[in-house]
Amino acid sequence: MPALDQDRAAGDRTHPGREHGERGDGTPVDRAEPRGREPRRRPRPLRALVLDTDGVLLDSAGLHAKAWKTALDACLEAVAGGEQPPFDADAEYRRFVDGRPRYDGAAAFLAARGLGLPAGTPRDPPGCATVWAVAACKEQAFLDLLRTEGVPAFDDAGTALAALRTAGVPCAAVSASRHARALIRAAGLSGLLTVVVDGEDAARLGLAGKPDPALFLRAALLLGSRPQETAVAEDALAGVEAARRGGFGLVAGVDRTPVRRAAAPLREQGADLVVPDLTTLVRSVWGERG
């Protein structure tokens, strides 16, 4: 979920509307790919799909953004004395914290604002004295919101996962959040996923967070699929970068924003195609089976 904490910087370039077609070998292509970047060829059919959890399967990104705003605005007030503008829960959320582990997101934002807090330790209580304390403050705010608002699955998630299961395409959910398994189970998606790799696994195995591809590579390994035979669905820039670095066969950006404002940044980060939902992804990549 956007317990998944994950993020990006919007570019200035705009792109024409997407129009899907096929390459000469029959593989789908996003006709709105940036000029100057040669589309990557990939095996067809792709054997498996790895999906980010927050913002792709679960409608949790908004909850994460609100929690980050609570924590970071409090930090800006305490450390900068109100002399800096508040945290932008849209642009700065996507650029610095979306898709990243909490500590990494807090550190990236504070560094961008020129606030050099000491690292502290993972045992630091919520507060503003250390980076770990800010991360703990975000976690506390998120849990408070979770209790009052909950996190639903996107309407298309179950339908798309069921279609892929029928087509024999195994799926994995990946999240940096330690809450991911419980949230996926509560959303009724557990039975449609072959594998879940979450923050508990990352801590136990020492897996680095995005933009490192370690979580995605672990998921592909558990699915029994090589990265080049596996697609990744991501809504975060850090996640798209991780999938590209991991050598995955298809990197699909999922832009669920109302006016598709994330599409251009996702393409610029390296997404092979950008889709508005998972149903479109399944139909574009796996054809009539989706």
Side-chain angles (χ1 to χ4, degrees):
M1 72 180 108
L4 311 291
D5 311 331
Q6 298 145 181
D7 206 50
R8 15 319 191 66
D12 293 330
R13 179 172 51 178
T14 59
H15 296 266
R18 272 181 298 108
E19 179 182 343
H20 292 287
E22 289 189 343
R23 298 190 179 102
D25 61 356
T27 58
V29 60
D30 178 5
R31 297 194 187 279
E33 291 180 80
R35 293 180 182 177
R37 179 164 67 83
E38 184 66 24
R40 297 185 302 158
R41 298 181 69 85
R42 55 184 181 270
R44 178 181 174 89
L46 293 157
R47 297 184 58 247
L49 174 62
V50 176
L51 306 104
D52 176 47
T53 303
D54 294 311
V56 173
L57 291 173
L58 301 181
D59 191 5
S60 51
L63 217 59
H64 281 289
K66 288 170 68 174
W68 274 114
K69 184 163 181 61
T70 296
L72 295 176
D73 281 355
C75 180
L76 289 171
E77 180 64 30
V79 178
E83 295 181 358
Q84 292 205 17
F87 173 70
D88 185 329
D90 179 15
E92 288 185 310
Y93 173 78
R94 289 183 288 109
R95 182 174 184 182
F96 298 116
V97 302
D98 189 18
R100 301 176 187 268
R102 286 191 306 276
Y103 177 89
D104 294 347
F109 172 78
L110 293 169
R113 289 296 190 94
L115 301 176
L117 296 184
T121 75
R123 297 182 298 278
D124 289 351
C128 301
T130 69
V131 178
W132 274 111
V134 175
C137 189
K138 184 270 173 182
E139 172 71 352
Q140 183 181 63
F142 179 76
L143 291 176
D144 289 343
L145 289 167
L146 193 59
R147 281 190 290 271
T148 58
E149 300 185 19
V151 176
F154 286 105
D155 291 341
D156 59 285
T159 301
L161 291 176
L164 289 166
R165 167 157 287 200
T166 299
V169 180
C171 296
V174 165
S175 172
S177 171
R178 293 173 183 257
H179 310 296
R181 275 189 171 82
L183 294 174
I184 289 169
R185 185 166 53 251
L189 299 180
S190 295
L192 298 172
L193 293 163
T194 304
V195 168
V196 175
V197 178
D198 69 356
E200 294 287 352
D201 299 305
R204 177 172 53 85
L205 300 172
L207 303 177
K210 305 169 192 177
D212 190 286
L215 292 171
F216 289 152
L217 292 172
R218 174 68 178 172
L221 176 66
L222 294 176
L223 288 173
S225 178
R226 294 183 299 172
Q228 59 267 36
E229 299 173 333
T230 306
V232 171
E234 254 290 358
D235 72 314
L237 298 183
V240 169
E241 180 181 347
R244 289 301 294 255
R245 288 171 59 182
F248 284 83
L250 172 71
V251 183
V254 181
D255 177 13
R256 296 186 182 276
T257 61
V259 294
R260 305 290 176 256
R261 63 178 177 273
L266 287 167
R267 291 190 187 96
E268 290 163 359
Q269 192 68 24
D272 294 301
L273 76 162
V274 177
V275 294
D277 53 53
L278 294 178
T279 301
T280 302
L281 173 63
V282 174
R283 290 174 178 166
S284 297
V285 177
W286 286 277
E288 293 305 317
R289 292 183 296 175

